[in-house]
Amino acid sequence: MDWEEWIELDNHYPTYHAAKAKRIAERGERCCRTAPEAQGAAMELLEELGGYLSERYPSMFQRGEDGGVRNCWSGEVTDLDRLSEDPMQAAARLVQDDLAIMMEAPDGQYYLKAGAILLAGFWRLEDKWGMPLSEIRMFLRFSF
Amino acid sequence: MWADWMVTDTSGDVPQFREKLERGMMSFFRRLSPEKPMLRNNYFIQVDEELPWSYSIGSEDEEEVQGWKTAEKNRAIEHHYFRSERQSLRRLVCSPSSRCQQ
């Protein structure tokens, strides 16, 4: 993957944004959750997204000096230092993608410790929460 | 190597293959470096038009895990939809200046 193609936005952005907002309002932490040990990673993801979006789509996203991100289309401002919601939930609103973070544990396995699974269609975050890679079959589909 | 259908259709039937797949997956994950993110596409057929949750596999609020096995059978072709999923994988790095230090 080239870095400039990490996150893609298309003309369905408004539909996805609205669908996600509705899903967040209806299902909240059933779809967007961050385990305590993944808070740092989730914040990093949010930072990375803010930086990437403001550079890749500068007419749509602007970054403030404090690192906050302004979505010029929706008017939403994501203040990274004063988040009013779960970091994965905040990140979910920015992009069309679902998001998941796997964390390495002392046993060397990777566990699902943060997610914003809103538009996946076939699986629920609660079914895979805290599971190791080997049990999360949808990740097993990755080619290697 | 694309192995979607093999993993989901033959789970218990080909245990050695599944183990190999998992080992390969693990080593792939472990080897992923911060500078080399990966990209792939998954494709699905579903038998309803919904994006957030494919209701034809069952209710989203059902206790029991829903999936393709619980999908409604024999739906007419006009109810078949193609889902394309673009998936990227990257390793996060906690840099000293990042808020990940919190």
Side-chain angles (χ1 to χ4, degrees), chain A residues 5 23 44 66 124 141, chain B residues 40 60 62 86 93:
Chain A
E5 53 182 359
R23 295 278 286 167
E44 185 187 340
D66 57 354
R124 304 178 296 195
R141 297 189 210 115
Chain B
R40 72 170 321 219
E60 194 175 5
E62 198 64 60
R86 180 181 182 269
V93 179

Side-chain angles (χ1 to χ4, degrees), chain A residues 2-55:
Chain A
D2 289 327
W3 279 111
E4 69 258 21
E5 53 182 359
W6 178 34
I7 301 289
E8 287 187 343
L9 307 185
D10 63 25
N11 58 329
H12 297 293
Y13 186 91
T15 308
Y16 276 67
H17 185 272
K20 284 205 185 192
K22 184 166 185 275
R23 295 278 286 167
I24 286 168
E26 287 171 354
R27 304 192 70 86
E29 67 159 20
R30 294 183 77 170
C31 290
C32 299
R33 221 200 300 181
T34 308
E37 60 270 40
Q39 283 287 329
M43 285 308 300
E44 185 187 340
L45 174 62
L46 197 48
E47 265 185 0
E48 286 288 313
L49 280 172
Y52 177 89
L53 290 168
S54 59
E55 285 187 33

Side-chain angles (χ1 to χ4, degrees), chain B residues 25-83:
Chain B
M25 184 69 217
M26 259 320 296
S27 79
F28 174 85
F29 239 69
R30 285 210 183 98
R31 278 184 287 116
L32 191 77
S33 68
E35 319 81 51
K36 293 219 172 96
M38 299 295 291
L39 198 60
R40 72 170 321 219
N41 270 291
N42 297 320
Y43 304 106
F44 308 86
I45 299 290
Q46 61 179 78
V47 291
D48 65 72
E49 73 285 6
E50 280 293 307
L51 178 68
W53 177 258
S54 175
Y55 61 83
S56 59
I57 67 171
S59 162
E60 194 175 5
D61 296 307
E62 198 64 60
E63 265 293 315
E64 196 190 306
V65 175
Q66 305 295 296
W68 299 321
K69 287 192 192 125
T70 54
E72 213 180 308
K73 297 186 176 34
N74 299 321
R75 285 275 270 173
I77 192 71
E78 59 262 29
H79 299 298
H80 284 59
Y81 291 81
F82 174 74
R83 177 185 291 248

Side-chain angles (χ1 to χ4, degrees), chain A residues 90-120:
Chain A
R93 295 183 192 277
L94 295 171
V95 298
Q96 292 173 242
D97 308 70
D98 277 350
L99 307 163
I101 300 183
M102 305 291 288
M103 305 273 300
E104 190 176 350
D107 66 2
Q109 292 255 44
Y110 286 83
Y111 295 85
L112 180 58
K113 291 292 183 177
I117 305 302
L118 292 153
L119 306 176

